[in-house]
Amino acid sequence: MLRFLIKRMLLGTLTLFAVSLVAFGMFFMLPRDAVATMCEKNCNAERLERMRDELGLNDPLLDQYTGYVKGVFVGRDLGSAQGGWCDVPCLGYSYINNEEVSDIFARVIPVTLSIVIPAAILWLGLGIGLGMLSALKRGTVFDRLAIGFSLTGASMQLYFVGGILLIIFVYTLKILPPPRYVSLWESPLDWAAGLVLAWVALAFLFSAVYARLSRAQMLETLAEDYVRTARAKGLTKSKAYGRHALRAAITPIVTIAGLDVGGALGGTVITETTFGIQGLGRTAVEAVRLGDLSTIMATVLISAVFIVVANIVVDLLYAVIDPRVRLG
């Protein structure tokens, strides 16, 4: 297990290295002058040249890249015009917001985590549970209702579901406050009240997909010879289905769940826009709109970190769920 974990971490590091190269290359491949985009409208040639020097753009490309990577791990000096020393992890300086990019992400990442993690727990529990029960009760009224629920959820868009939830619970019944982010450590009740509609909207849409997937996987697994043999040898239904069929059926679902959660952590743009919450997704969109390239590069790198970590976690879960998997 330890050997596998080290191997996956090394591969993940190489992936992040490649992503950092691409993100850094974006800065120089854009058809417009990045510095002119970040500078005010009344910038003159002297101001533009000074900004290029402050950002280190007059240095060789290799020195610029190594300086950027070094800043992520040990910090670096951005100069007095950019606030001086930038602590670890230093992701650059945003001229648009006049602050370090790390400070921006320190504010928005907890928001995105607060949206995605509780919602993921809801959609995985509801979707997998509903799909498994539907497979065990195939052909019954419950199965038909579950299929109807999954088809309904798969046919809707988040901005529509979110809008309906806002109209009903915030503006009509007025039983919930307008969506907002409050730190969990400041007030757990306000934290939940401000984000519950986002959780419900995401859980409804994602659980519909997982219900269909888990139902199909469970039906396929129940038809396997080893499950029928276990039942024929006298193993109880709960043990045969729970200990053998469920663990085999859930393995591919874990793979998709890891990708979905990792991708959502990279930025729930539509969710944050629908509910008016400033998280990683809206920050990335605004950075693109305003041409804040330092923030764009950091967003790409952080999103890649979430994806890599999610994939490592999924691979480790394989050994727990399915003992047939050999990690090495």
Side-chain angles (χ1 to χ4, degrees), residues 6 20 38 43 45 62 72 77 81 105 119 147 167 178 182 213 215 227 238 273-274 277 283 285 290 310 325 328:
I6 294 174
S20 68
M38 292 185 288
C43 264
L62 181 60
V72 174
D77 187 5
F105 285 98
I147 293 175
I167 292 173
V182 177
L213 178 62
R215 179 182 183 275
V227 176
S238 59
T273 303
T274 300
I277 302 171
T283 299
V285 171
L290 298 174
V325 177

Side-chain angles (χ1 to χ4, degrees), residues 8 14 25 33 46 64-65 76 84 86 109 114 130 158 161 174 211 229 247 259 287 310:
R8 294 294 290 126
L14 290 176
D33 188 349
E46 181 182 354
Q64 294 181 46
Y65 177 72
R76 59 176 171 146
C86 179
I109 288 180
S114 295
L130 189 62
L158 194 143
V161 176
K174 297 181 179 179
T229 301
R247 296 180 69 177
L259 294 175

Side-chain angles (χ1 to χ4, degrees), residues 65-283:
Y65 177 72
T66 54
Y68 182 80
V69 174
K70 179 181 177 181
V72 174
F73 294 100
V74 299
R76 59 176 171 146
D77 187 5
L78 296 177
S80 58
Q82 301 180 70
W85 180 259
C86 179
D87 292 326
V88 179
C90 182
L91 300 173
Y93 186 84
S94 170
Y95 271 93
I96 302 296
N97 296 287
N98 292 318
E99 62 179 327
E100 294 179 12
V101 175
S102 301
D103 294 336
I104 298 174
F105 285 98
R107 291 196 305 269
V108 300
I109 288 180
V111 179
T112 299
L113 290 174
S114 295
I115 294 174
V116 174
I117 294 179
I121 294 173
L122 287 175
W123 85 55
L124 289 173
L126 178 61
I128 295 175
L130 189 62
M132 296 299 178
L133 289 175
S134 178
L136 295 175
K137 299 180 180 296
R138 184 180 183 182
T140 64
V141 175
F142 179 87
D143 183 30
R144 295 189 179 92
L145 290 175
I147 293 175
F149 167 80
S150 62
L151 290 174
T152 301
S155 303
M156 292 186 178
Q157 297 296 323
L158 194 143
Y159 53 80
F160 174 77
V161 176
I164 294 297
L165 291 175
L166 286 171
I167 292 173
I168 295 175
F169 295 102
V170 176
Y171 303 119
T172 302
L173 299 179
K174 297 181 179 179
I175 60 178
L176 287 174
R180 63 193 180 107
Y181 173 74
V182 177
S183 174
L184 174 63
W185 316 115
E186 180 181 337
S187 174
L189 185 59
D190 291 339
W191 172 77
L195 299 175
V196 65
L197 292 182
W199 299 343
V200 172
L202 284 172
F204 174 66
L205 298 178
F206 276 92
S207 64
V209 176
Y210 281 86
R212 296 177 64 188
L213 178 62
S214 57
R215 179 182 183 275
Q217 286 295 133
M218 190 65 173
L219 288 175
E220 181 180 346
T221 304
L222 291 176
E224 294 288 344
D225 292 337
Y226 70 89
V227 176
R228 292 197 299 266
T229 301
R231 290 286 291 134
K233 288 185 174 181
L235 199 65
T236 63
K237 188 175 182 180
S238 59
K239 289 184 178 180
Y241 292 169
R243 182 180 301 175
H244 300 289
L246 177 60
R247 296 180 69 177
I250 205 174
T251 302
I253 299 174
V254 170
T255 303
I256 299 175
L259 294 175
D260 283 343
V261 174
L265 288 173
T268 53
V269 179
I270 299 178
T271 306
E272 294 170 9
T273 303
T274 300
F275 294 100
I277 302 171
Q278 187 71 29
L280 185 60
R282 287 186 70 188
T283 299

